[in-house]
Amino acid sequence: MSTSEPPPWPHCAQGAHPVADPVGCRGIHVPGHTACLAHLADADRDAYLAGLTPGADIDHRGTSFTEFLLNALLDALRDPTTGQPRLGIAQFESATFESDVSFESATFESDAGFESATFQDNAEFGSATFQGSAIFRSATFQRYAGFESATFQDNASFGSATFQGSAIFRSATFQSGAGFNSAAFWGGAEFNRATFRGSAEFDSATFPNYAWFKSTIFQGIAWFVSATFQDSASFNLATFQSSAMFRSATFQSDVWFIQAVFERWVSLGPLVCAGRVQLSGVVFNGPATLSFVARHLECRRTRWLSTAEVRLRYATVDFAHAVFEYPLTIAAETDPFMLPTGEPLGEQTLVHAPDASVRIASLRGVDAAHLILADVDLSGCLFTGTVHLDQVRLEGDCSFDTASPGTHWLRRRPARFTPRRTLAEEHHWRASQPGAVRGWNVAVLGAGRVGPLQLAPVYRALRKAFEDGKHEPGAADFYYGEMEMRRHADDIPRSERGLLTAYWALSGYGLRASRALAWLGAAMLCTIVLLMAFGLAQDTPKQTATGTVPAGGGKVTFEIDKDDPQNPTGDRFTGKRFEKALNVTLNSVVFRASGQDLTTAGTYIEMTSRFTEPVLLGLAVLAIRNRVKR
């Protein structure tokens, strides 16, 4: 209502001025008079008040109340049996309360209208009972507004109200709908232990200060669509017995839902939170759709008793010890979330974040049989203690950390690490070892005392998960990690450790073709050198035939013999001898006899090469197959 326009009721007009204030006092006429209660003559006011009884209807729209005048009015309506004011229809629309207001423990037996009223000082409605509609639309509370333990038996409307001081609705009961749409809580809002039995609507509400809904019970639908929380918001231990809608809400600081309970379907988001979203201990009894743009999301010990989908941007997520009884999907959203209007959700509060990727911090204690991960960063994820990890589904681009590539010096000897997928816990374990090489990340928060014994089963489970997903090259990396952890574990016999070490050194557990080929080349070169030096005979042994011709003729019998190969002397490294040695070596690689004349030493050299070199060739072929098969 414009200040230059007269109100729609017969008004007092006291103090009107043709130019400065053509309307004057806006207070409605007291029945039977032409002035409002504030400007009524003392005798007439006393007579009016004396005629009021508890439960009477009153109409003082537009009237300005001092503390004295309001107390006089309430005293006239005070019930002698309870000592508290009792009002019928109470109309205070556009009224101005110039000092402290106390409707504490008052009973409004019918509708109470405070629309566009202004409370210039403290307003106390604690333990008040509103049996009819309570209308505070567009009301302004310039200081403290107290509705602690108030009871609203019918609709309560605070739409577009402005609370410049603290707004306290602690333990209030809303038995029907409660509307706070577009309300502004500049001094903070507290709804701790309040009960909303009907719908609770906070659409487009603004909370520039704290907003507390601890232990609040929402029995009807809770609407926080497009609400803005500029300071911390707490829904700890709150219970949502019906649907909850937080679409397009913005949290510029931390928001807590610790141990809250959502009894039915819930949709949290898409919402923006510049701080941390705390969902630890929350119970989702119904289907849940969570869409967050946040820096951190903590879901420790949450319980998901129905299907759920969590779509995120920018977030680092902790799901340690969460319980999934139905499929749950955690996915990274590549593009900004879209609002119902078709416009992208604003992400200005996270504009300085390095990227919009989603990082999983921990899955410890989780039963991953129903877990689906899509396009998330697992490089810092803690997996030890995860149950049924082999059944986790990895979709899209799920990235892991990698081993520190290149050659490093480890205890005065070179050590070369090839790139492979690794776990964050392995980084932490290797970096904490004496003489650890650079490149392993020791700053893995929460890794704890984890070693090869704990990591080997994790690598084994992830290998199976990749194999089930037909991702054999990825599975090969986790097989390598599993074998590494077995080799370094403390509970294996020395003989098994030696065997694993040889397997690692020769071919990288059947996964490093270059290593196997290098050893094959070295073995072939060694075989060639040894054959040229000791294995090939000096000359090709000649065959001789001896026999006796019987006197008088008859059958002649010949014995054919061959000289033993002679050990080489003189110049052994000639081109002709190299060609023979190469022929013997190549035939040994494919497990064939060369047919060359060899010395005794050469025979044993060939036997050794015919055993070792085909094995090395087989390891190289196996490594190539493991890298290319699908």
Side-chain angles (χ1 to χ4, degrees), residues 270 293 313-314 333-339 343-347 356:
V293 179
R313 284 174 59 79
Y314 296 98
E333 194 73 13
T334 55
D335 298 319
F337 293 107
M338 302 302 294
L339 299 175
E343 299 178 354
L345 180 66
E347 301 176 347

Side-chain angles (χ1 to χ4, degrees), residues 164-181:
Q164 297 178 4
S166 299
I168 307 300
F169 288 83
R170 187 186 307 120
S171 300
T173 300
F174 299 86
Q175 297 183 1
S176 189
F180 291 86
N181 297 338

Side-chain angles (χ1 to χ4, degrees), residues 202-207 222-230 244-252 255 257 265-274 289-293 311 336-349:
F202 289 85
D203 292 353
S204 301
T206 302
F207 299 85
W223 298 86
F224 288 86
V225 176
S226 299
T228 300
F229 298 82
Q230 298 178 11
M245 296 289 294
F246 284 80
R247 186 176 62 244
S248 305
T250 300
F251 295 86
Q252 297 182 9
V255 54
F257 287 87
W265 175 79
V266 59
S267 176
L268 297 181
L271 60 82
V272 177
C273 178
T289 301
L290 280 60
S291 303
F292 295 151
V293 179
R311 307 198 71 85
F337 293 107
M338 302 302 294
L339 299 175
T341 59
E343 299 178 354
L345 180 66
E347 301 176 347
Q348 293 82 356
T349 56

Side-chain angles (χ1 to χ4, degrees), residues 58-240:
I58 57 174
D59 185 356
H60 295 291
R61 289 172 286 176
T63 304
S64 296
F65 285 90
T66 63
E67 185 176 7
F68 172 80
L69 181 59
L70 179 61
N71 288 339
L73 176 63
L74 295 180
D75 287 342
L77 298 168
R78 200 172 299 275
D79 191 329
T81 59
T82 62
Q84 305 299 338
R86 183 160 55 88
L87 298 80
I89 299 176
Q91 299 186 66
F92 291 95
E93 181 181 341
S94 300
T96 300
F97 299 89
E98 299 175 354
S99 55
D100 286 350
V101 174
S102 179
F103 285 90
E104 190 171 4
S105 299
T107 299
F108 296 86
E109 295 180 339
S110 189
D111 295 344
F114 290 86
E115 186 172 359
S116 301
T118 300
F119 298 85
Q120 297 179 356
D121 212 325
N122 297 328
E124 179 61 72
F125 288 83
S127 300
T129 301
F130 297 86
Q131 297 179 0
S133 298
I135 304 173
F136 288 85
R137 282 192 301 267
S138 301
T140 300
F141 297 85
Q142 296 182 1
R143 298 189 67 182
Y144 171 84
F147 290 84
E148 184 172 358
S149 300
T151 301
F152 300 86
Q153 297 181 4
D154 206 335
N155 292 328
S157 176
F158 289 83
S160 301
T162 300
F163 298 86
Q164 297 178 4
S166 299
I168 307 300
F169 288 83
R170 187 186 307 120
S171 300
T173 300
F174 299 86
Q175 297 183 1
S176 189
F180 291 86
N181 297 338
S182 301
F185 298 86
W186 291 93
E190 182 180 337
F191 288 83
N192 296 347
R193 297 186 298 278
T195 300
F196 294 87
R197 294 179 180 170
S199 62
E201 300 181 10
F202 289 85
D203 292 353
S204 301
T206 302
F207 299 85
N209 212 315
Y210 66 88
W212 293 346
F213 291 82
K214 300 176 183 178
S215 301
T216 302
I217 298 175
F218 297 89
Q219 295 181 358
I221 300 177
W223 298 86
F224 288 86
V225 176
S226 299
T228 300
F229 298 82
Q230 298 178 11
D231 205 339
S232 60
S234 175
F235 292 83
N236 295 348
L237 298 171
T239 300
F240 297 84

Side-chain angles (χ1 to χ4, degrees), residues 23 26 104 106-107 160 173 229 301 398 433 537 579-580 613:
V23 177
R26 295 173 171 273
E104 190 171 4
T107 299
S160 301
T173 300
F229 298 82
R301 294 182 173 85
C398 290
Q433 297 303 299
E579 184 178 352
K580 291 182 178 181
E613 291 167 8

